[in-house]
Amino acid sequence: MEEIKASMAGNVWKITVNTGDEVKPGDEVVILESMKMEIPIAAESAGTVESIVVEEGSFINEGDVLVKIQS
Amino acid sequence: MHTLLIANRGEIACRIIRTCRELGITSVAVYSDADEQSQHVKLADRACHIGGSRVHESYLNIEHILQAAKDSGAQAVHPGYGLLSENAAFAERVEAEGLLFIGPQPDVIAQMGDKIQARNVMKEAGVPVVPGRELASIEEADLNEAAAAVSFPLMLKAAAGGGGIGMQRVDNETELLKAAASVAKKAETFFASSLLYLEKYVEEPRHIEAQIFGDDRGSMSCIGLRDCSVQRRHQKVIEEAPPPGLSKQTEEALQTAAVRAASHLQYKNAGTVEFLVDKEENIYFLEMNTRLQVEHPVTEETTGADLVAWQLAVAEGKRLDELQYTQPAHAYALEVRLYAEDPKTFFPSPGTITEWEIPDFPFLRCDVGFTNGDTITPFYDPMAGKLIVHAESREQGISRMIQVLERTSISGIKTNVPLLLDILQDSAFQQGKVTTHFLTDKKEEEAAWKK
């Protein structure tokens, strides 16, 4: 299982996948917003979105888990 | 005026507080949860908490800011730049509360905030704008007629669009016919309208802007020009005054156009008219910023004016001819913006500053909002401050700034200092041959080298 983590602190601006979606490495799963900039976060391995841990609009710290992928 | 509320944060709040001190005005800072320990809160005479860390809970919350103004007994509000500074509704509410808004009239803010309306108003005023027109259709006859009227090279874009999506440069009729179909399709997908707009392509554009000041009696003055061509993602990185290598004639054309633009609006207080200048030194109105600019210090260093003091004086009804130059004027000034970001990817880099060493030089001015031990949070703009040097020549200014940056040491956050040094040492920059494409071109060049 891959846990996709936030690369920096910020707001969850958009979640671009749903539970059950198939993802490939490099697919964007979440867009964070930090210091007035959008930062896309991508999956590193292929798999199925098992759960989405955060909500749009919530504030997260660096290293927080955003999405879990079942390979 | 004895008490001024500053509806802002970071370096610009600190900058405004400095002038308040010099003038004996009581300064009132406002702050969010995240900014409780900030420099602007420590520097101000008084400070009011206005809400949560997110901007809409605090720095964009008009009611909370007005309440702070009432509670602190302020008679005037300075909006700084960014945040609410170009929000006409805020300016109106400040005035409705019987407070002095340090800036132009609310209706002028609204007019210049609407970029299409601004362009039309400027055309009316006889200020040159980038020639362009909407296309009736993408039939060959309509395309060629419009192209002949505007003249190649052209930029084709979605009339409803923005942000560069579906923009394409075309150099002749064959290219135009082909591009029109594909840009129309993109426009339909992205903006739900296939309407196209054809504009003159500005070749080798430089970004040059004019600082204007207007008073209550309709006097208008342009007090200086700035070159801000070094940009990334439409954000300025380095600014200088005067702009290098412009002909006297173009300088005068810019000053005249800026004064004409501002006079047409009966503009009061400080404002900036931004222009694009192409390789033949044609000038085109870009937009007007109805506030103090980030880069105002380069004008201060080259004129001797304290622009914040002037803003306060004009707001209180002083005439332009009563304003004083209170500092020495230098031949040249250069400003760099310190961003908390990765110098290669431009990604923001929030964090706690563990080292903040900027050397002391008599020619250096530091307009910064942070120091050692402070935290740069993810909630706000990544700009931590600005360094400004003055000099007797451009060459000397550049070498002084290199000297400053080589002795600057910031840890805990990533900063763009390496990128700034890279730019200052670039031969195109040193020769004053920079266009707004400079940083993008430079990046592409480096990528090509790596292959």
Side-chain angles (χ1 to χ4, degrees), chain B residues 280-298:
Chain B
E280 272 122 31
E281 297 203 355
N282 292 307
I283 69 170
Y284 305 107
F285 170 82
L286 193 60
E287 62 176 45
M288 180 162 192
N289 293 318
T290 53
R291 53 169 165 81
L292 190 68
Q293 295 280 88
V294 174
E295 58 274 21
H296 75 276
V298 294

Side-chain angles (χ1 to χ4, degrees), chain B residues 191-426:
Chain B
F191 310 111
S193 154
S194 59
L195 209 59
L196 298 185
Y197 189 83
L198 202 59
E199 194 176 80
K200 176 93 189 140
Y201 180 84
V202 180
E203 290 186 274
E204 299 177 23
R206 291 173 66 182
H207 175 117
I208 298 185
E209 57 185 33
Q211 177 70 56
I212 61 95
F213 247 96
D215 69 14
D216 276 351
R217 306 167 204 219
S219 298
M220 193 65 62
S221 175
C222 172
I223 68 159
L225 300 175
R226 297 183 285 258
D227 189 325
C228 317
S229 299
V230 182
Q231 306 185 354
R232 56 114 174 98
R233 293 196 323 253
H234 299 288
Q235 253 181 324
K236 297 164 188 166
V237 179
I238 294 183
E239 301 101 345
E240 55 188 320
L246 269 194
S247 69
K248 197 94 211 119
Q249 204 181 343
T250 305
E251 277 183 8
E252 276 164 20
L254 288 163
Q255 286 162 350
T256 308
V259 167
R260 186 178 298 163
S263 296
H264 184 78
L265 299 166
Q266 294 177 300
Y267 195 95
K268 286 173 198 162
N269 217 292
T272 294
V273 189
E274 298 188 332
F275 295 93
L276 284 180
V277 177
D278 72 9
K279 61 178 181 183
E280 272 122 31
E281 297 203 355
N282 292 307
I283 69 170
Y284 305 107
F285 170 82
L286 193 60
E287 62 176 45
M288 180 162 192
N289 293 318
T290 53
R291 53 169 165 81
L292 190 68
Q293 295 280 88
V294 174
E295 58 274 21
H296 75 276
V298 294
T299 301
E300 295 186 322
E301 295 300 314
T302 47
T303 59
D306 176 336
L307 294 185
V308 174
W310 279 25
Q311 283 192 295
L312 300 178
V314 164
E316 284 193 299
K318 280 253 166 48
R319 298 193 316 265
L320 286 189
D321 58 17
E322 292 176 293
L323 302 174
Q324 308 272 328
Y325 290 92
T326 48
Q327 286 140 22
H330 304 278
Y332 176 80
L334 176 68
E335 172 180 284
V336 298
R337 298 190 186 190
L338 292 175
Y339 285 105
E341 68 183 13
D342 186 304
K344 289 246 180 316
T345 62
F346 299 151
F347 272 21
S349 171
T352 298
I353 300 165
T354 53
E355 185 190 19
W356 181 270
E357 284 300 324
I358 296 169
D360 253 337
F361 284 113
F363 52 76
L364 175 66
R365 165 174 168 183
C366 297
D367 280 21
V368 295
F370 297 90
T371 189
N372 200 4
D374 285 352
T375 297
I376 297 191
T377 65
F379 300 104
Y380 315 111
D381 193 276
M383 200 189 74
K386 299 141 12 188
L387 303 178
I388 305 103
V389 297
H390 62 75
E392 293 318 306
S393 68
R394 185 169 190 266
E395 200 186 346
Q396 188 187 42
I398 293 170
S399 97
R400 283 180 169 179
M401 188 62 89
I402 291 172
Q403 201 182 341
V404 168
L405 291 174
E406 280 178 341
R407 286 164 182 76
T408 294
S409 195
I410 300 171
S411 313
I413 53 165
K414 286 184 198 163
T415 72
N416 64 336
V417 169
L419 173 72
L420 294 171
L421 276 167
D422 211 20
I423 298 167
L424 295 171
Q425 284 159 343
D426 187 289

Side-chain angles (χ1 to χ4, degrees), chain A residues 52-64:
Chain A
I52 295 166
V53 186
V54 291
E55 282 172 23
E56 285 183 5
S58 55
F59 181 79
I60 43 99
N61 282 306
E62 186 182 338
D64 283 0

